[in-house]
Amino acid sequence: RRDACHPEDDPAMSDLRPDDLTLLRQYEPVLRHTNGEHFFPMRVDRYVAHSALWFRPAGSPAVELIPAGGLEIDRLGLPLPDEDTPGIHFLQFAKPLTGLALQRVINRRGRPRFRGRGRLARVGLVARLVDAFFTVSLWLRGTVPGGTAAAAEDAYFEMQANRETYTYYGRVLRQDGYVILHYLYFYCMNDWRSSFHGVNDHEADWEQAFIYLEDCDGQELRPVGIACAAHDDTGDDRRRHWDDPEVEKVGGHPVLYAGAGSHALYFTRGEYLVTVSLSVFRPVLRALEIAMRFWRVTLRQGNPEAPQQKVTDLFGIPFVDYARGDGLAIGPTGRKTWTPVLLDPTPAWIENYRGLWGFFAQDPVSGENAPAGPKFNRDGTVRRAWHTPLGWSGLLKVAPESCTDEALRHRLATLRNTQSADREAASEQHAALMPLHAEMRALAEQPQLSEAYQQAWATTQEKERALLMLRDRIAERDEVIHALETRLAAVEAGDRGDLRDHLIHPDRPQSERDIRLS
């Protein structure tokens, strides 16, 4: 059965498989943007050709290593100047506009205009007060200079006027019974703060989505899940079952909605109230998370199925992510089509470049700093979404659907073996306990043996408690085995269970009533 879950080991099967690019095209998502969006997924080499390469040594001003126009994408895959010196490499795509040049971009004919209701009208007084601290923090932190978003917009507009393209980068992985289609979208600018009243601005923006295909039993590949990135969220809430009614599809292609400026991806169109916690509260939040986990998991208090408030909501600032989907749609049935780039083999500019993909604003909380590439975090460590996309979306623990019955049988066999061993141990302990108790009763009748009696009494009590705990475990395990047997019978009958039972805090757009009466 193990081999059946990895048919890529069978040469006859691998010859029948579609190639990686065909798989990516077969399921490529449709991205729907919000009217007023200025940036769309583009080719990375066009961005790099327009950028300068900078290096900021630790404790010293930044120096320009390669000016704009002199940098090519392949250069980022080679050793960089000052690579052994402590510091950070970064790109700079746009020089901020001011005065008439800035007004020219803002007043450009045909420029998409965004209109939205104010976010602070939707929240309470406490959130507004905390927001004041956030505004002050922008004065104290390093931020992307004003006019940068307009300069990036101007440069991107010229690129598209010369040659209009919409690109995603794709790769295909085969891990643990799944074929994983990884879609990467690169935007030259995140203008969430300056254009849509959001949290941050930063040059460059990498977003991503995953489609998980079941690779079991030597059968034809079948989609079973989809996940998409939204800000820094990870885990089960980022994933939906392929057949979840929330997953909209057109012609077999899933539809994702991109947040205006932030480019975070959502499964449902709407306006999302996103809570962002200030860094000053992070130690408090960590302590609260540990305490809540101890309360719910260790002490087993509360209803585990009841929706729980996020800890970040207690010390967070609400922002609106506008994922209306009323703007440009890219992909099958959209106004524009994709130009895919297959990352096979992975190019050196992904494998080797650990610097930032845009301006380094020296923001201590990193919100205004450009991101690193698709493989690395800002600190140079490898992203989990890159090396373990199953773990990133909480799917690592989930067996492919066609292998679920085998996983259940394996777990049942393990539990039954443990149960058999524990029953035998319980029988032996009980056989040993009765003579101990008889000895204790005999010693109780002999006053001169009071010390031996006390020791026998303590030993008897200890052995009895151990036996009771063992039998408690056996009884509870009997219930677990019964539950697994019931579930196995349901799976064998074709019942897949609740497709949404893994969700804890799923993203939900605000209703019109929430927006009006908040």
Side-chain angles (χ1 to χ4, degrees):
R1 181 72 182 204
R2 176 182 175 86
D3 294 335
C5 288
H6 298 276
E8 67 272 13
D9 298 332
D10 183 355
M13 284 300 302
S14 61
D15 291 341
L16 300 177
R17 293 173 163 238
D19 62 79
D20 289 353
L21 183 58
T22 300
L23 277 176
L24 289 167
R25 298 303 311 254
Q26 182 178 352
Y27 296 102
E28 62 185 14
V30 178
L31 257 57
R32 298 190 184 278
H33 296 80
T34 298
N35 187 39
E37 176 65 64
H38 303 127
F39 305 98
F40 303 97
M42 64 178 293
R43 287 187 63 92
V44 175
D45 51 357
R46 301 177 78 183
Y47 175 86
V48 172
H50 196 279
S51 301
L53 177 65
W54 289 73
F55 178 70
R56 184 178 183 86
S60 301
V63 293
E64 188 178 48
L65 301 179
I66 301 176
L71 183 63
E72 295 182 354
I73 187 70
D74 292 338
R75 180 66 184 85
L76 295 180
L78 302 175
L80 300 177
D82 300 313
E83 198 164 51
D84 297 329
T85 303
I88 188 165
H89 289 87
F90 65 93
L91 303 178
Q92 185 170 10
F93 175 69
K95 294 183 178 180
L97 297 179
T98 58
L100 292 177
L102 177 59
Q103 291 302 314
R104 178 180 58 82
V105 174
I106 294 175
N107 297 326
R108 187 184 75 239
R109 177 177 296 179
R111 183 174 186 262
R113 308 289 175 178
F114 171 81
R115 288 176 175 80
R117 283 168 284 195
R119 66 183 179 86
L120 290 182
R122 311 183 186 195
V123 300
L125 177 61
V126 173
R128 299 190 197 189
L129 293 175
V130 178
D131 182 73
F133 287 100
F134 176 79
T135 302
V136 172
S137 77
L138 289 174
W139 297 341
L140 303 176
R141 292 159 42 197
T143 55
V144 172
T148 299
E153 180 187 341
D154 192 40
Y156 177 71
F157 180 79
E158 288 187 8
M159 289 180 186
Q160 290 292 81
N162 291 333
R163 181 163 57 91
E164 185 178 13
T165 60
Y166 302 90
T167 300
Y168 68 76
Y169 291 83
R171 65 187 189 124
V172 179
L173 297 85
R174 291 167 175 83
Q175 296 179 346
D176 304 305
Y178 292 93
V179 172
I180 306 159
L181 310 181
H182 188 185
Y183 299 87
L184 290 153
Y185 308 100
F186 178 78
Y187 297 79
C188 67
M189 185 74 198
N190 172 314
D191 60 339
W192 189 19
R193 171 170 59 80
S194 59
S195 298
F196 305 99
H197 318 293
V199 179
N200 51 32
D201 276 7
H202 54 76
E203 284 192 334
D205 196 14
W206 284 100
E207 300 296 339
Q208 56 192 334
F210 300 90
I211 293 177
Y212 303 98
L213 309 178
E214 184 182 72
D215 194 14
C216 258
D217 292 334
Q219 300 175 1
E220 184 178 352
L221 298 177
R222 183 172 66 90
V224 293
I226 177 172
C228 58
H231 308 295
D232 294 325
D233 290 347
T234 63
D236 294 292
D237 287 335
R238 300 305 328 141
R239 186 183 83 249
R240 299 291 185 275
H241 193 281
W242 185 258
D243 294 332
D244 190 316
E246 188 180 0
V247 180
E248 180 184 345
K249 303 184 193 72
V250 288
H253 297 267
V255 178
L256 299 176
Y257 294 89
S262 75
H263 310 129
L265 297 175
Y266 300 94
F267 295 102
T268 304
R269 73 170 74 227
E271 299 180 5
Y272 292 80
L273 203 61
V274 179
T275 302
V276 178
S277 59
L278 292 178
S279 59
V280 68
F281 293 128
R282 285 179 183 169
V284 178
L285 294 176
R286 281 195 292 269
L288 284 173
E289 286 175 345
I290 292 171
M292 291 177 67
R293 192 179 305 115
F294 178 78
W295 176 257
R296 290 175 52 76
V297 178
T298 306
L299 300 182
R300 300 182 181 181
Q301 298 299 309
N303 180 5
E305 297 182 358
Q308 301 297 313
Q309 183 183 28
K310 291 184 180 180
V311 176
T312 52
D313 291 345
L314 302 176
F315 295 94
I317 307 172
F319 293 88
V320 180
D321 216 357
Y322 299 94
R324 297 171 175 171
D326 56 356
L328 182 65
I330 309 172
T333 74
R335 283 173 48 201
K336 305 296 180 180
T337 58
W338 290 117
T339 301
V341 176
L342 178 64
L343 300 176
D344 185 20
T346 305
W349 55 264
I350 289 182
E351 290 283 10
N352 300 330
Y353 179 62
R354 295 174 183 260
L356 304 184
W357 279 83
F359 181 67
F360 177 44
Q362 303 177 69
D363 181 2
V365 300
S366 297
E368 298 275 318
N369 296 330
K375 181 178 178 181
F376 298 108
N377 297 303
R378 289 186 179 97
D379 61 2
T381 57
V382 181
R383 293 178 188 266
R384 181 174 293 168
W386 180 266
H387 68 80
T388 311
L390 292 174
W392 177 84
S393 65
L395 202 57
L396 190 62
K397 59 183 174 288
V398 183
E401 288 183 2
S402 294
C403 295
T404 299
D405 54 349
E406 186 63 23
L408 288 169
R409 291 190 189 96
H410 182 271
R411 183 59 180 160
L412 274 169
T414 300
L415 290 178
R416 285 166 178 160
N417 289 338
T418 303
Q419 196 77 325
S420 176
D422 279 357
R423 289 187 190 280
E424 184 176 347
S427 178
E428 292 174 355
Q429 290 180 27
H430 183 248
L433 178 63
M434 290 185 293
L436 281 174
H437 181 262
E439 178 184 342
M440 181 195 72
R441 292 291 301 274
L443 293 173
E445 299 171 358
Q446 304 295 326
Q448 72 276 16
L449 298 176
S450 61
E451 186 175 342
Y453 167 74
Q454 292 294 333
Q455 183 176 356
W457 182 87
T459 302
T460 302
Q461 292 294 311
E462 180 183 355
K463 298 293 185 183
E464 183 181 22
R465 282 195 299 269
L467 178 58
L468 286 172
M469 291 177 62
L470 180 57
R471 289 198 166 176
D472 286 344
R473 288 199 301 271
I474 291 172
E476 183 175 359
R477 194 179 295 121
D478 274 337
E479 297 304 307
V480 173
I481 289 173
H482 176 68
L484 287 171
E485 289 172 340
T486 302
R487 180 63 190 144
L488 176 59
V491 168
E492 290 177 336
D495 179 8
R496 294 183 295 177
D498 184 358
L499 301 182
R500 298 175 63 85
D501 61 0
H502 64 286
L503 299 176
I504 303 172
H505 299 292
D507 297 318
R508 299 186 187 280
Q510 288 192 296
S511 67
E512 185 65 26
R513 184 177 184 276
D514 292 336
I515 296 172
R516 232 171 4 96
L517 302 179
S518 175

